[in-house]
Amino acid sequence: SFKPRIFSGIQPSGGLTLGNYLGALRRFAGFQGTGPETIYCVVDLHAITVWQDPAELSRRTREIAAAYMASGVDPEQSILFNQSQVAAHAELAWLFNCVARLGWMNRMTQFKDKAGKNSENSSLGLYAYPSLMAADILAYRATAVPVGDDQKQHVELTRDIAAKFNHDYGVEFFPQPTPLIEGTATRVMSLRDGSKKMSKSDPSDASRINLTDDADTITAKIRKARTDAEPLPGSAEGLKDRPEAKNLLNIYSALTGESIDEILGKFEGQGFGTFKPALAEIAVDVLAPITSKMSQFMADPAEIDRILGKGATRAAEIAQPVVEEAKGIMGM
Ligand code: ADP
Ligand code: NA
């Protein structure tokens, strides 16, 4: 049996969105002090699978660290660090490149979404991304991974890699980590297109709420969010085939903790002209303190660097021996 450990990561590939916050970030602090060790990472090696402006990458790396802390991750209680500062991630990823099968990678929907029609021109790193993610998790022999729904397939692949390594070498060395995907905001959708997830890498800024947006911007984006013209139904059943409406209700539910039926009980028969301002007010109330704490942390970049440096030392103390042992198992 494996020591319970929680691992999760966020890419510094753009400003954080309400989707990142509700699906992942805001859940992280809650695992602190509950038993398992908590390890949270800024995954810059994942971000560079598509070209990043170097100065922006450094700034965003600090911004993600600030967001973790602003949402309650305490660098004393958790290990908070930046991926590229711990060499074990890249080293274990190579070992896993030799364990994972091409056929497994070919099934990954995120690669297909991100590479689009021009996959021949994608980086090799974008293709191998899930193998690096498996290394992130398994370098700590983590047992649980809180993520949004879009990462479920990658955590399942991590389980397959762990199982194949154990099987190929006749060991019980790596655990099979469980994806922790919970709540009504496991997949927050774009405000412009109910069939696409809200993403920091979407070229349309109107498609998402950024954690750095001010109150007026958040209110305007919600007011302009695409919806149908029907009034709100009396229960969740009536949201079937209304993806945009459903998305806004899911966001409201995740922000308040009320069930969809409870919310619809209050808004039944009303139009979005009434619902959207109510949602905007709640979103602003929840996000404003996070935004303000983020900018307080960002005012002292040297302190963020110090915290990340200390976190990297603690992370390497766990991860490097795991990689050494994995190499030993393989005969190296
Ligand atoms: P992005 O997909 O925005 O580039 P990341 O890949 O860095 O962000 O994901 C960081 C975390 O946020 C992951 O746990 C991911 O599952 C979660 N996440 C990303 N987008 C959403 C979304 N639209 N709804 C819910 N969770 C999300
Ligand atoms: Na993602």
Side-chain angles (χ1 to χ4, degrees):
S1 79
F2 295 90
K3 191 174 159 192
R5 263 196 196 127
I6 295 207
F7 177 94
S8 200
I10 299 184
Q11 302 186 66
S13 53
L16 285 164
T17 71
L18 182 64
N20 298 128
Y21 181 69
L22 295 177
L25 198 51
R26 72 153 178 177
R27 304 169 55 210
F28 295 159
F31 296 109
Q32 295 175 149
T34 63
E37 201 167 0
T38 45
I39 305 176
Y40 298 121
C41 188
V42 184
V43 290
D44 59 347
L45 295 175
H46 283 278
I48 60 164
T49 56
V50 296
W51 187 84
Q52 301 292 329
D53 176 80
E56 266 295 280
L57 182 64
S58 331
R59 194 191 63 76
R60 282 182 177 146
T61 296
R62 295 187 183 110
E63 192 175 75
I64 302 289
Y68 272 120
M69 293 190 285
S71 41
V73 170
D74 169 5
E76 300 296 322
Q77 287 191 68
S78 293
I79 299 181
L80 176 61
F81 71 106
N82 182 28
Q83 186 185 27
S84 65
Q85 291 188 302
V86 179
H89 291 247
E91 196 176 358
L92 187 58
W94 181 260
L95 306 187
F96 287 167
N97 282 345
C98 303
V99 172
R101 305 290 91 184
L102 278 181
W104 300 359
M105 295 293 155
N106 288 338
R107 286 200 294 274
M108 295 297 109
T109 57
Q110 179 177 284
F111 176 75
K112 289 176 195 161
D113 291 346
K114 288 201 173 175
K117 290 194 187 77
N118 199 15
S119 67
E120 289 282 305
N121 201 33
S122 294
S123 73
L124 183 54
L126 188 67
Y127 187 71
Y129 180 117
S131 174
L132 177 60
M133 181 163 154
D136 298 336
I137 297 165
L138 294 175
Y140 303 90
R141 301 209 279 182
T143 51
V145 190
V147 281
D149 184 60
D150 61 312
Q151 292 300 329
K152 185 167 184 232
Q153 196 182 33
H154 290 161
V155 181
E156 280 164 359
L157 187 99
T158 300
R159 295 168 63 90
D160 291 342
I161 290 177
K164 182 159 165 57
F165 181 97
N166 290 345
H167 176 267
D168 286 356
Y169 297 99
V171 289
E172 268 310 314
F173 187 64
F174 288 117
Q176 294 204 27
T178 313
L180 304 177
I181 302 169
E182 279 148 32
T184 48
T186 58
R187 182 180 284 265
V188 177
M189 306 309 282
S190 157
L191 298 179
R192 305 303 309 164
D193 177 349
S195 71
K196 271 168 54 182
K197 73 159 193 156
M198 183 180 286
S199 172
K200 56 171 120 78
S201 44
D202 192 315
S204 157
D205 189 63
S207 71
R208 63 175 164 265
I209 291 167
N210 303 301
L211 290 197
T212 50
D213 285 345
D214 62 22
D216 289 346
T217 309
I218 292 173
T219 306
K221 283 179 178 175
I222 291 177
R223 192 178 58 238
K224 287 185 206 140
R226 216 180 105 178
T227 43
D228 52 50
E230 300 295 310
L232 286 164
S235 72
E237 188 93 314
L239 291 172
K240 240 178 98 222
D241 306 320
R242 297 177 67 183
E244 286 89 4
K246 192 163 186 230
N247 185 40
L248 295 185
L249 265 300
N250 280 343
I251 293 172
Y252 191 111
S253 166
L255 288 168
T256 60
E258 294 168 54
S259 73
I260 305 285
D261 284 337
E262 278 168 343
I263 301 163
L264 289 173
K266 293 191 291 188
F267 288 97
E268 176 171 16
Q270 315 242 34
F272 287 97
T274 309
F275 180 77
K276 283 173 166 181
L279 174 62
E281 202 179 307
I282 287 162
V284 167
D285 279 352
V286 172
L287 296 184
I290 309 288
T291 309
S292 128
K293 281 184 216 150
M294 272 174 74
S295 58
Q296 281 167 32
F297 285 117
M298 284 301 276
D300 192 351
E303 174 64 5
I304 295 180
D305 291 351
R306 196 191 60 78
I307 290 168
L308 289 176
K310 225 174 122 186
T313 305
R314 290 169 66 199
E317 279 166 13
I318 301 173
Q320 203 55 51
V322 170
V323 176
E324 289 313 319
E325 209 176 324
K327 283 163 65 182
I329 289 167
M330 297 172 91
M332 291 183 277

